[in-house]
Amino acid sequence: MAYVITRSCCNDASCVAVCPVNCIHPTPDEPDFGTSEMLYIDPAGCIDCGACVPACPVNAVVADFDIMDRDISFADLNASYFTEPDNQDYPGAQYNANRPTVQVEDRDRLRVAIVGSGPAGCYAAEELLARRGLGADVHMFERLPVPWGLVRSGVAPDHQDTKLITKQFSRTLGREAMTLYLNVEVGRDITHEELAANFHAVIYAVGAAGDRKLDIPGEDLPGIHPATDFVSWYNGHPDFAGRVFDVSAKRAVVIGNGNVALDVARILASDIDRLRRTDIADHAITALAESQVEEVVVIGRRGPHQAAFSTPELIALSQQRDIQLSVDLTGVQEEVDRSPIAGYRSTLLRRLADCPTPGSGRRLVLRFLASPVEVHGTDRVTGLRVVRNELLVSPHESASIRATDVVEEIATGLVLRSIGYRGSGPPGVPFDADLGIIANAGGRVVRPSGHEQPGVYATGWIKRGPSGVIGTNKRCAQGTVDLLIEDYLTGRLPTPYAPVEDLQRLLVARNPHVLDYQDWLAVDRQEVAAGRVAKRPRVKLVDRHSIVDVAAAARSAAEARSLDPL
Ligand code: NAP
């Protein structure tokens, strides 16, 4: 037998570190680690020890004899990776996950502020707190009254296994040397300069919350929305809870075909009773229960070989029993598969083109080689004009396109633009507007003069742009923290001149509703308890006041308990 990695793989390589025979690849030391869609276990090398099972933070590893029908394809996919000659030649030594011990002499105890509590911020905190010999105090600032960034407000509600990573992050946030400030916006409640005065270093892990535009006529009509807004809405992000998405049309169109596009298309096409069992926001259940959508069309501007969705997500979608998935390969030319994984994926797409899945519900159609050129409608969207593209040259995933003169009108009342996230600059921090990231070199912020600025760092999407899966941020955070520690040990960090208590007093004076980790645990308990009653993982609180009220009630109850002489 062998173990198999399945869809929810987060790529953080925790499994790699514990494998005694180095049969899980790519490892963080291998060149394709940063671009691999997931990690794979070599069935020929696996010795069935099972060490990778508890190490996986998202329950993605299963024994092949225990595998569920829906995951059987992943056994083939894992094996496919190792049919590539380059992937067979791996050394027997295991990847060394142990980070070097730090020798700190004659230095003040390192005090670091992290802005953002998503995966990038949590991995950075974990890295600082777990580094032997360092002894750092970490203070994390989050704009929302709840933590976890995109794990809470981005990961799809029907991907609960992916959200298990928060158990690992909770262990970090619960550490003694960690202080969490929720409901605190840097730039509003506190400035960058104030943070810099109180800490040796500030790490920005603020993600990329904005979206990119198509710049086509009609794009601002009601009925066309950024997919990122739709995601935040159905996931109960407080800033989006009041949004309205009109689902009264028979056809919805999603532009772009990355994993976010597949997420929003799947949520639109899903059976509402399946969604009711997830932690999707209540307001989304109410709205989607009235949906008249019968078909969701996902449009990619290039061909299937270049599609941005990942193979695990395609496999999972093809196994969705409540959705009829079909693939339209009109105009697509045969291409040589660049790897066994690419071959696996094209075979699956061709199979779906010949025969849609027998799902019982709405249709979801993947289309290729089409670009939107105009959105139609007078007071709201009624249609989309697309132009057929041809691939110019075909060096696989980097192929570019040329528009032909074939155009088509697609009737639709809802268009979701899913063409990528875009970061915005925190006030007072150098920003590269072209790339939509904080200007940085390996994570160290770079001033407009071109000089590096020890003491200010970036990690995650705001450092490298919106790419990769959750675990990709671990390696990214390690890179940033390595530089920060180097600056600390070489005395290049500015010395904080104000005690952190001053900052805490200032914060509370400016914003009486700052929440901490204990407050979050109270909110978490309340959500999970409500979920238990409703047979759901949790029922999310989606407005700031309710969250603050639950935290305040829990604080009062704890205070009353502590005063009670019995
Ligand atoms: P993405 O993967 O970068 O996909 C963006 C899509 O938009 C691509 O199909 C791209 O096409 C298309 N596009 C860009 N500009 C366009 C234009 N002007 N006209 C038409 N199409 C255009 O971005 P994403 O889907 O937002 O995902 C962001 C990251 O989060 C990715 O790394 C993704 O894997 C990750 N994520 C992972 C999961 C998961 O693992 N389940 C879920 C959600 C997100 P081209 O390829 O032709 O540029």
CSV table of all heavy atoms in Angstrom, one decimal, residues 7-9 37 150 154-156 159 162 212-215 227-228 255-263 266 299-303 306-310 312-313 370-372 397 399 401 418-421 461 464-470 472, ligand 1:
chain,number,residue,atom,x,y,z
A,7,ARG,N,-7.0,16.5,-2.8
A,7,ARG,CA,-7.3,17.9,-3.2
A,7,ARG,C,-6.9,19.0,-2.2
A,7,ARG,O,-6.4,20.0,-2.6
A,7,ARG,CB,-8.8,18.0,-3.4
A,7,ARG,CG,-9.2,19.3,-4.1
A,7,ARG,CD,-10.6,19.7,-3.7
A,7,ARG,NE,-10.8,19.9,-2.3
A,7,ARG,CZ,-10.5,21.0,-1.6
A,7,ARG,NH1,-10.0,22.0,-2.2
A,7,ARG,NH2,-10.7,21.0,-0.3
A,8,SER,N,-7.1,18.8,-0.9
A,8,SER,CA,-6.9,19.9,0.0
A,8,SER,C,-5.4,20.2,0.3
A,8,SER,O,-5.1,21.1,1.1
A,8,SER,CB,-7.6,19.6,1.3
A,8,SER,OG,-7.2,18.5,1.9
A,9,CYS,N,-4.5,19.5,-0.4
A,9,CYS,CA,-3.0,19.8,-0.1
A,9,CYS,C,-2.8,21.3,-0.1
A,9,CYS,O,-3.2,22.0,-1.0
A,9,CYS,CB,-2.2,19.1,-1.3
A,9,CYS,SG,-0.5,19.5,-1.1
A,37,GLU,N,1.3,22.5,-8.3
A,37,GLU,CA,-0.1,22.7,-7.8
A,37,GLU,C,-0.3,22.0,-6.5
A,37,GLU,O,-1.2,22.4,-5.7
A,37,GLU,CB,-1.0,22.0,-8.8
A,37,GLU,CG,-1.0,22.7,-10.2
A,37,GLU,CD,-1.9,22.0,-11.2
A,37,GLU,OE1,-2.1,20.8,-11.0
A,37,GLU,OE2,-2.4,22.7,-12.1
A,150,LEU,N,-7.8,35.4,4.4
A,150,LEU,CA,-8.5,34.6,3.3
A,150,LEU,C,-8.9,33.2,3.7
A,150,LEU,O,-9.7,32.6,3.0
A,150,LEU,CB,-7.6,34.6,2.0
A,150,LEU,CG,-7.6,35.8,1.1
A,150,LEU,CD1,-6.9,35.6,-0.2
A,150,LEU,CD2,-9.1,36.3,0.8
A,154,GLY,N,-11.9,33.9,2.2
A,154,GLY,CA,-11.6,33.6,0.8
A,154,GLY,C,-11.8,32.1,0.5
A,154,GLY,O,-12.5,31.8,-0.5
A,155,VAL,N,-11.3,31.2,1.3
A,155,VAL,CA,-11.5,29.7,1.0
A,155,VAL,C,-13.0,29.4,0.9
A,155,VAL,O,-13.8,29.9,1.8
A,155,VAL,CB,-10.8,28.9,2.1
A,155,VAL,CG1,-11.1,27.4,2.0
A,155,VAL,CG2,-9.3,29.1,2.1
A,156,ALA,N,-13.3,28.6,-0.1
A,156,ALA,CA,-14.8,28.4,-0.3
A,156,ALA,C,-15.4,27.6,0.9
A,156,ALA,O,-14.7,26.8,1.5
A,156,ALA,CB,-14.9,27.6,-1.6
A,159,HIS,N,-15.0,23.9,1.2
A,159,HIS,CA,-13.7,23.4,1.3
A,159,HIS,C,-13.2,23.4,2.8
A,159,HIS,O,-12.2,24.0,3.1
A,159,HIS,CB,-12.7,24.1,0.4
A,159,HIS,CG,-12.8,23.8,-1.0
A,159,HIS,ND1,-12.1,24.4,-2.0
A,159,HIS,CD2,-13.5,22.8,-1.7
A,159,HIS,CE1,-12.4,23.9,-3.2
A,159,HIS,NE2,-13.2,22.9,-3.0
A,162,THR,N,-9.6,22.5,3.8
A,162,THR,CA,-8.6,23.5,3.7
A,162,THR,C,-8.5,24.4,4.9
A,162,THR,O,-7.5,24.9,5.3
A,162,THR,CB,-8.9,24.4,2.4
A,162,THR,OG1,-9.1,23.5,1.3
A,162,THR,CG2,-7.8,25.3,2.1
A,212,ARG,N,-8.6,43.3,-10.2
A,212,ARG,CA,-8.2,43.9,-11.4
A,212,ARG,C,-9.4,44.2,-12.3
A,212,ARG,O,-10.4,43.5,-12.3
A,212,ARG,CB,-7.1,43.1,-12.1
A,212,ARG,CG,-5.9,42.9,-11.2
A,212,ARG,CD,-4.9,41.9,-11.7
A,212,ARG,NE,-4.5,42.3,-13.1
A,212,ARG,CZ,-4.5,41.5,-14.1
A,212,ARG,NH1,-4.9,40.3,-14.0
A,212,ARG,NH2,-4.1,41.9,-15.3
A,213,LYS,N,-9.3,45.2,-13.2
A,213,LYS,CA,-10.4,45.5,-14.1
A,213,LYS,C,-10.1,45.0,-15.5
A,213,LYS,O,-8.9,44.9,-15.9
A,213,LYS,CB,-10.7,47.0,-14.1
A,213,LYS,CG,-11.3,47.4,-12.8
A,213,LYS,CD,-12.0,48.8,-12.9
A,213,LYS,CE,-13.4,48.6,-13.4
A,213,LYS,NZ,-14.2,49.8,-13.4
A,214,LEU,N,-11.2,44.8,-16.3
A,214,LEU,CA,-11.0,44.4,-17.7
A,214,LEU,C,-10.8,45.6,-18.6
A,214,LEU,O,-10.2,45.4,-19.7
A,214,LEU,CB,-12.3,43.7,-18.2
A,214,LEU,CG,-12.5,42.3,-17.6
A,214,LEU,CD1,-14.0,41.9,-17.7
A,214,LEU,CD2,-11.6,41.3,-18.3
A,215,ASP,N,-11.3,46.8,-18.2
A,215,ASP,CA,-11.2,48.0,-19.1
A,215,ASP,C,-11.9,47.7,-20.4
A,215,ASP,O,-11.3,47.9,-21.5
A,215,ASP,CB,-9.7,48.4,-19.3
A,215,ASP,CG,-9.1,48.9,-18.0
A,215,ASP,OD1,-9.8,49.5,-17.2
A,215,ASP,OD2,-7.9,48.6,-17.8
A,227,ALA,N,-15.2,39.0,-8.8
A,227,ALA,CA,-15.5,37.7,-8.2
A,227,ALA,C,-15.0,37.8,-6.7
A,227,ALA,O,-15.6,37.2,-5.8
A,227,ALA,CB,-14.7,36.6,-8.9
A,228,THR,N,-14.0,38.6,-6.5
A,228,THR,CA,-13.5,38.8,-5.1
A,228,THR,C,-14.5,39.3,-4.1
A,228,THR,O,-14.6,38.9,-3.0
A,228,THR,CB,-12.2,39.7,-5.1
A,228,THR,OG1,-12.5,40.9,-5.8
A,228,THR,CG2,-11.0,39.0,-5.8
A,255,ILE,N,-15.6,35.4,-15.8
A,255,ILE,CA,-14.5,35.7,-16.7
A,255,ILE,C,-13.2,35.4,-16.0
A,255,ILE,O,-12.9,35.8,-14.9
A,255,ILE,CB,-14.5,37.1,-17.2
A,255,ILE,CG1,-15.8,37.4,-17.9
A,255,ILE,CG2,-13.3,37.5,-18.1
A,255,ILE,CD1,-16.1,38.9,-18.2
A,256,GLY,N,-12.3,34.6,-16.7
A,256,GLY,CA,-11.1,34.1,-16.1
A,256,GLY,C,-11.3,32.7,-15.6
A,256,GLY,O,-12.4,32.3,-15.4
A,257,ASN,N,-10.2,31.9,-15.6
A,257,ASN,CA,-10.4,30.5,-15.2
A,257,ASN,C,-9.4,30.0,-14.2
A,257,ASN,O,-8.9,28.9,-14.2
A,257,ASN,CB,-10.6,29.5,-16.4
A,257,ASN,CG,-9.3,29.5,-17.2
A,257,ASN,OD1,-8.3,30.0,-16.8
A,257,ASN,ND2,-9.4,28.9,-18.4
A,258,GLY,N,-9.1,30.9,-13.2
A,258,GLY,CA,-8.2,30.4,-12.1
A,258,GLY,C,-9.0,29.7,-11.1
A,258,GLY,O,-10.2,29.4,-11.3
A,259,ASN,N,-8.4,29.4,-9.9
A,259,ASN,CA,-9.1,28.6,-8.9
A,259,ASN,C,-10.2,29.5,-8.3
A,259,ASN,O,-11.2,28.9,-7.8
A,259,ASN,CB,-8.1,28.2,-7.8
A,259,ASN,CG,-7.4,26.9,-8.3
A,259,ASN,OD1,-7.8,26.2,-9.1
A,259,ASN,ND2,-6.2,26.8,-7.8
A,260,VAL,N,-10.1,30.8,-8.2
A,260,VAL,CA,-11.2,31.6,-7.7
A,260,VAL,C,-12.4,31.5,-8.6
A,260,VAL,O,-13.5,31.4,-8.2
A,260,VAL,CB,-10.7,33.1,-7.5
A,260,VAL,CG1,-11.9,34.0,-7.2
A,260,VAL,CG2,-9.7,33.2,-6.4
A,261,ALA,N,-12.1,31.5,-10.0
A,261,ALA,CA,-13.2,31.4,-10.9
A,261,ALA,C,-14.0,30.1,-10.7
A,261,ALA,O,-15.2,30.0,-10.7
A,261,ALA,CB,-12.7,31.5,-12.4
A,262,LEU,N,-13.2,29.0,-10.5
A,262,LEU,CA,-13.9,27.7,-10.3
A,262,LEU,C,-14.7,27.7,-9.0
A,262,LEU,O,-15.8,27.2,-8.9
A,262,LEU,CB,-12.9,26.6,-10.2
A,262,LEU,CG,-12.2,26.1,-11.5
A,262,LEU,CD1,-11.7,24.7,-11.4
A,262,LEU,CD2,-13.1,26.2,-12.7
A,263,ASP,N,-14.1,28.4,-7.9
A,263,ASP,CA,-14.8,28.5,-6.7
A,263,ASP,C,-16.2,29.2,-6.9
A,263,ASP,O,-17.2,28.7,-6.4
A,263,ASP,CB,-14.0,29.3,-5.6
A,263,ASP,CG,-12.9,28.5,-4.9
A,263,ASP,OD1,-12.9,27.3,-5.1
A,263,ASP,OD2,-12.1,29.1,-4.2
A,266,ARG,N,-18.6,27.2,-8.9
A,266,ARG,CA,-19.1,26.1,-8.2
A,266,ARG,C,-20.2,26.5,-7.2
A,266,ARG,O,-21.2,25.9,-7.1
A,266,ARG,CB,-18.0,25.4,-7.5
A,266,ARG,CG,-18.3,24.0,-7.0
A,266,ARG,CD,-17.2,23.3,-6.3
A,266,ARG,NE,-16.7,24.0,-5.1
A,266,ARG,CZ,-15.6,24.8,-5.0
A,266,ARG,NH1,-14.8,24.9,-6.0
A,266,ARG,NH2,-15.4,25.4,-3.9
A,299,ILE,N,-15.2,31.4,-18.7
A,299,ILE,CA,-14.5,31.7,-19.9
A,299,ILE,C,-13.0,32.0,-19.7
A,299,ILE,O,-12.7,32.9,-19.0
A,299,ILE,CB,-15.1,33.0,-20.6
A,299,ILE,CG1,-16.6,32.7,-20.9
A,299,ILE,CG2,-14.4,33.4,-21.8
A,299,ILE,CD1,-17.3,33.8,-21.6
A,300,GLY,N,-12.2,31.2,-20.3
A,300,GLY,CA,-10.7,31.4,-20.3
A,300,GLY,C,-10.3,32.1,-21.6
A,300,GLY,O,-10.8,31.7,-22.7
A,301,ARG,N,-9.4,33.0,-21.5
A,301,ARG,CA,-9.0,33.7,-22.8
A,301,ARG,C,-8.0,32.8,-23.6
A,301,ARG,O,-7.9,33.0,-24.8
A,301,ARG,CB,-8.4,35.1,-22.5
A,301,ARG,CG,-7.2,35.1,-21.6
A,301,ARG,CD,-6.7,36.5,-21.5
A,301,ARG,NE,-5.7,36.6,-20.4
A,301,ARG,CZ,-5.0,37.7,-20.1
A,301,ARG,NH1,-5.3,38.8,-20.7
A,301,ARG,NH2,-4.1,37.6,-19.1
A,302,ARG,N,-7.3,31.9,-22.9
A,302,ARG,CA,-6.4,31.0,-23.6
A,302,ARG,C,-6.9,29.6,-23.7
A,302,ARG,O,-8.1,29.4,-23.4
A,302,ARG,CB,-5.0,31.1,-23.0
A,302,ARG,CG,-4.5,32.6,-23.0
A,302,ARG,CD,-3.0,32.7,-22.6
A,302,ARG,NE,-2.8,32.4,-21.2
A,302,ARG,CZ,-1.7,32.1,-20.6
A,302,ARG,NH1,-0.6,31.9,-21.4
A,302,ARG,NH2,-1.6,31.9,-19.3
A,303,GLY,N,-6.1,28.7,-24.0
A,303,GLY,CA,-6.6,27.3,-24.2
A,303,GLY,C,-6.5,26.5,-22.9
A,303,GLY,O,-6.1,27.0,-21.9
A,306,GLN,N,-3.3,26.2,-20.9
A,306,GLN,CA,-2.9,27.4,-20.2
A,306,GLN,C,-3.8,27.8,-19.1
A,306,GLN,O,-3.6,28.8,-18.4
A,306,GLN,CB,-2.8,28.6,-21.2
A,306,GLN,CG,-1.7,28.4,-22.3
A,306,GLN,CD,-2.2,27.5,-23.4
A,306,GLN,OE1,-3.4,27.5,-23.7
A,306,GLN,NE2,-1.3,26.8,-24.1
A,307,ALA,N,-4.9,27.1,-18.9
A,307,ALA,CA,-5.9,27.4,-17.9
A,307,ALA,C,-5.3,27.6,-16.5
A,307,ALA,O,-4.4,26.8,-16.2
A,307,ALA,CB,-7.0,26.4,-17.9
A,308,ALA,N,-5.7,28.6,-15.8
A,308,ALA,CA,-5.1,28.9,-14.5
A,308,ALA,C,-5.6,28.0,-13.4
A,308,ALA,O,-5.0,27.9,-12.3
A,308,ALA,CB,-5.3,30.3,-14.1
A,309,PHE,N,-6.7,27.3,-13.6
A,309,PHE,CA,-7.2,26.4,-12.5
A,309,PHE,C,-6.2,25.3,-12.3
A,309,PHE,O,-5.5,24.9,-13.2
A,309,PHE,CB,-8.6,25.9,-12.7
A,309,PHE,CG,-8.8,25.2,-14.0
A,309,PHE,CD1,-8.3,23.9,-14.3
A,309,PHE,CD2,-9.6,25.8,-15.0
A,309,PHE,CE1,-8.5,23.3,-15.5
A,309,PHE,CE2,-9.8,25.1,-16.2
A,309,PHE,CZ,-9.3,23.9,-16.5
A,310,SER,N,-6.2,24.7,-11.1
A,310,SER,CA,-5.3,23.6,-10.8
A,310,SER,C,-6.0,22.3,-11.0
A,310,SER,O,-7.2,22.2,-11.0
A,310,SER,CB,-4.8,23.7,-9.4
A,310,SER,OG,-5.8,23.5,-8.5
A,312,PRO,N,-6.0,19.5,-9.2
A,312,PRO,CA,-6.9,19.0,-8.1
A,312,PRO,C,-8.2,19.6,-8.0
A,312,PRO,O,-9.2,18.9,-7.8
A,312,PRO,CB,-6.1,19.4,-6.8
A,312,PRO,CG,-4.7,19.6,-7.3
A,312,PRO,CD,-4.7,20.0,-8.7
A,313,GLU,N,-8.3,20.9,-8.3
A,313,GLU,CA,-9.6,21.6,-8.3
A,313,GLU,C,-10.5,21.1,-9.4
A,313,GLU,O,-11.7,20.9,-9.3
A,313,GLU,CB,-9.5,23.1,-8.4
A,313,GLU,CG,-8.9,23.7,-7.1
A,313,GLU,CD,-9.6,23.3,-5.8
A,313,GLU,OE1,-10.8,23.1,-5.9
A,313,GLU,OE2,-8.9,23.2,-4.8
A,370,ALA,N,-11.6,32.6,-25.5
A,370,ALA,CA,-12.6,33.7,-25.7
A,370,ALA,C,-12.3,34.8,-24.8
A,370,ALA,O,-12.0,34.5,-23.6
A,370,ALA,CB,-14.0,33.1,-25.5
A,371,SER,N,-12.4,36.0,-25.3
A,371,SER,CA,-12.1,37.2,-24.4
A,371,SER,C,-13.3,38.1,-24.5
A,371,SER,O,-13.9,38.3,-25.5
A,371,SER,CB,-10.9,38.0,-24.9
A,371,SER,OG,-9.7,37.4,-24.7
A,372,PRO,N,-13.7,38.7,-23.3
A,372,PRO,CA,-14.8,39.6,-23.3
A,372,PRO,C,-14.4,40.9,-23.9
A,372,PRO,O,-13.3,41.4,-23.7
A,372,PRO,CB,-15.1,39.8,-21.8
A,372,PRO,CG,-13.9,39.4,-21.1
A,372,PRO,CD,-13.2,38.5,-22.0
A,397,GLU,N,2.3,26.7,-21.3
A,397,GLU,CA,1.5,27.7,-20.5
A,397,GLU,C,1.8,29.1,-20.8
A,397,GLU,O,1.0,30.0,-20.4
A,397,GLU,CB,1.7,27.4,-19.0
A,397,GLU,CG,3.1,27.7,-18.4
A,397,GLU,CD,4.0,26.4,-18.4
A,397,GLU,OE1,3.9,25.7,-19.4
A,397,GLU,OE2,4.8,26.3,-17.5
A,399,ALA,N,1.9,30.5,-23.7
A,399,ALA,CA,1.3,30.9,-25.0
A,399,ALA,C,0.5,32.2,-25.0
A,399,ALA,O,-0.2,32.4,-24.0
A,399,ALA,CB,0.5,29.8,-25.6
A,401,ILE,N,-2.2,35.1,-27.1
A,401,ILE,CA,-3.4,34.9,-27.9
A,401,ILE,C,-3.5,36.1,-28.9
A,401,ILE,O,-2.9,37.2,-28.7
A,401,ILE,CB,-4.7,34.9,-27.1
A,401,ILE,CG1,-4.6,35.9,-25.9
A,401,ILE,CG2,-5.0,33.5,-26.6
A,401,ILE,CD1,-5.8,36.2,-25.2
A,418,SER,N,-13.2,37.4,-12.7
A,418,SER,CA,-12.3,36.7,-11.8
A,418,SER,C,-10.9,36.7,-12.5
A,418,SER,O,-10.4,35.6,-12.8
A,418,SER,CB,-12.8,35.3,-11.6
A,418,SER,OG,-12.0,34.6,-10.7
A,419,ILE,N,-10.3,37.9,-12.6
A,419,ILE,CA,-9.0,38.0,-13.3
A,419,ILE,C,-7.9,38.3,-12.4
A,419,ILE,O,-6.9,38.8,-12.9
A,419,ILE,CB,-9.1,38.9,-14.5
A,419,ILE,CG1,-9.5,40.3,-14.0
A,419,ILE,CG2,-10.2,38.4,-15.5
A,419,ILE,CD1,-9.3,41.4,-15.2
A,420,GLY,N,-8.0,38.0,-11.2
A,420,GLY,CA,-6.9,38.1,-10.2
A,420,GLY,C,-7.1,39.2,-9.2
A,420,GLY,O,-7.8,40.2,-9.4
A,421,TYR,N,-6.4,39.0,-8.1
A,421,TYR,CA,-6.5,40.0,-7.0
A,421,TYR,C,-5.4,41.1,-7.3
A,421,TYR,O,-4.5,40.9,-8.1
A,421,TYR,CB,-6.1,39.3,-5.7
A,421,TYR,CG,-7.2,38.5,-5.1
A,421,TYR,CD1,-7.5,37.2,-5.5
A,421,TYR,CD2,-8.0,39.0,-4.0
A,421,TYR,CE1,-8.5,36.4,-4.9
A,421,TYR,CE2,-9.0,38.2,-3.5
A,421,TYR,CZ,-9.2,36.9,-3.9
A,421,TYR,OH,-10.2,36.1,-3.3
A,461,TRP,N,1.1,37.7,-0.3
A,461,TRP,CA,0.7,38.2,-1.6
A,461,TRP,C,1.2,39.7,-1.7
A,461,TRP,O,1.5,40.1,-2.8
A,461,TRP,CB,-0.8,38.2,-1.7
A,461,TRP,CG,-1.3,36.8,-2.1
A,461,TRP,CD1,-0.5,35.7,-2.3
A,461,TRP,CD2,-2.6,36.4,-2.5
A,461,TRP,NE1,-1.3,34.6,-2.7
A,461,TRP,CE2,-2.6,35.1,-2.9
A,461,TRP,CE3,-3.8,37.1,-2.6
A,461,TRP,CZ2,-3.7,34.4,-3.3
A,461,TRP,CZ3,-4.9,36.4,-3.0
A,461,TRP,CH2,-4.9,35.1,-3.4
A,464,ARG,N,4.8,39.2,-3.0
A,464,ARG,CA,5.2,38.5,-4.2
A,464,ARG,C,4.1,38.5,-5.3
A,464,ARG,O,4.2,38.0,-6.4
A,464,ARG,CB,5.6,37.0,-4.0
A,464,ARG,CG,4.5,36.2,-3.4
A,464,ARG,CD,4.9,34.7,-3.3
A,464,ARG,NE,3.7,33.9,-3.2
A,464,ARG,CZ,3.0,33.7,-2.1
A,464,ARG,NH1,3.4,34.2,-0.9
A,464,ARG,NH2,1.9,33.0,-2.1
A,465,GLY,N,2.9,39.1,-4.9
A,465,GLY,CA,1.7,39.1,-5.8
A,465,GLY,C,0.8,37.9,-5.5
A,465,GLY,O,1.2,37.0,-4.8
A,466,PRO,N,-0.4,37.9,-6.0
A,466,PRO,CA,-1.4,36.9,-5.6
A,466,PRO,C,-1.2,35.6,-6.3
A,466,PRO,O,-1.9,35.3,-7.3
A,466,PRO,CB,-2.7,37.6,-6.0
A,466,PRO,CG,-2.4,38.5,-7.1
A,466,PRO,CD,-1.0,38.9,-6.9
A,467,SER,N,-0.3,34.8,-5.8
A,467,SER,CA,-0.2,33.5,-6.5
A,467,SER,C,0.1,32.4,-5.4
A,467,SER,O,0.6,32.8,-4.3
A,467,SER,CB,1.1,33.5,-7.4
A,467,SER,OG,2.2,33.8,-6.6
A,468,GLY,N,-0.1,31.2,-5.8
A,468,GLY,CA,0.2,30.1,-4.9
A,468,GLY,C,-1.0,29.7,-3.9
A,468,GLY,O,-2.0,30.4,-3.9
A,469,VAL,N,-0.8,28.6,-3.2
A,469,VAL,CA,-1.8,28.2,-2.3
A,469,VAL,C,-1.4,28.5,-0.9
A,469,VAL,O,-0.3,29.2,-0.7
A,469,VAL,CB,-2.1,26.7,-2.4
A,469,VAL,CG1,-2.8,26.4,-3.8
A,469,VAL,CG2,-0.8,25.9,-2.4
A,470,ILE,N,-2.2,28.1,0.1
A,470,ILE,CA,-1.9,28.6,1.5
A,470,ILE,C,-0.5,28.3,2.0
A,470,ILE,O,0.2,29.2,2.4
A,470,ILE,CB,-2.9,28.0,2.5
A,470,ILE,CG1,-4.3,28.6,2.2
A,470,ILE,CG2,-2.6,28.2,3.9
A,470,ILE,CD1,-5.4,27.9,3.0
A,472,THR,N,2.2,27.9,0.4
A,472,THR,CA,3.2,28.7,-0.3
A,472,THR,C,3.7,29.8,0.6
A,472,THR,O,4.9,30.2,0.5
A,472,THR,CB,2.7,29.3,-1.7
A,472,THR,OG1,1.9,28.3,-2.3
A,472,THR,CG2,3.8,29.8,-2.6
B,1,NAP,P1,-5.2,33.5,-11.2
B,1,NAP,O1,-4.9,32.1,-10.9
B,1,NAP,O2,-4.1,34.4,-11.5
B,1,NAP,O3,-6.2,33.5,-12.5
B,1,NAP,C1,-6.5,34.7,-13.1
B,1,NAP,C2,-7.3,34.3,-14.4
B,1,NAP,O4,-7.7,35.6,-15.0
B,1,NAP,C3,-6.5,33.6,-15.5
B,1,NAP,O5,-7.4,32.7,-16.1
B,1,NAP,C4,-6.1,34.7,-16.4
B,1,NAP,O6,-5.9,34.3,-17.7
B,1,NAP,C5,-7.4,35.6,-16.4
B,1,NAP,N1,-7.2,36.9,-16.9
B,1,NAP,C6,-6.3,37.9,-16.4
B,1,NAP,N2,-6.5,39.0,-17.1
B,1,NAP,C7,-7.5,38.8,-18.0
B,1,NAP,C8,-8.2,39.6,-18.9
B,1,NAP,N3,-7.8,40.9,-19.1
B,1,NAP,N4,-9.2,39.0,-19.7
B,1,NAP,C9,-9.5,37.8,-19.5
B,1,NAP,N5,-9.0,37.0,-18.6
B,1,NAP,C10,-8.0,37.5,-17.8
B,1,NAP,O7,-6.0,34.2,-10.1
B,1,NAP,P2,-7.1,33.7,-9.0
B,1,NAP,O8,-8.0,32.7,-9.6
B,1,NAP,O9,-7.7,35.0,-8.5
B,1,NAP,O10,-6.3,33.0,-7.9
B,1,NAP,C11,-5.3,33.7,-7.1
B,1,NAP,C12,-4.4,32.7,-6.4
B,1,NAP,O11,-5.2,32.0,-5.4
B,1,NAP,C13,-3.9,31.6,-7.3
B,1,NAP,O12,-2.6,31.2,-7.0
B,1,NAP,C14,-4.9,30.4,-7.0
B,1,NAP,O13,-4.3,29.1,-7.3
B,1,NAP,C15,-5.1,30.6,-5.5
B,1,NAP,N6,-6.3,30.0,-5.1
B,1,NAP,C16,-6.3,28.6,-4.8
B,1,NAP,C17,-7.4,28.0,-4.5
B,1,NAP,C18,-7.3,26.5,-4.2
B,1,NAP,O14,-6.2,26.0,-4.1
B,1,NAP,N7,-8.4,25.9,-4.0
B,1,NAP,C19,-8.6,28.6,-4.4
B,1,NAP,C20,-8.7,30.0,-4.8
B,1,NAP,C21,-7.5,30.7,-5.1
B,1,NAP,P3,-4.4,34.1,-18.3
B,1,NAP,O15,-3.9,32.8,-17.6
B,1,NAP,O16,-4.5,34.0,-19.7
B,1,NAP,O17,-3.6,35.3,-17.8
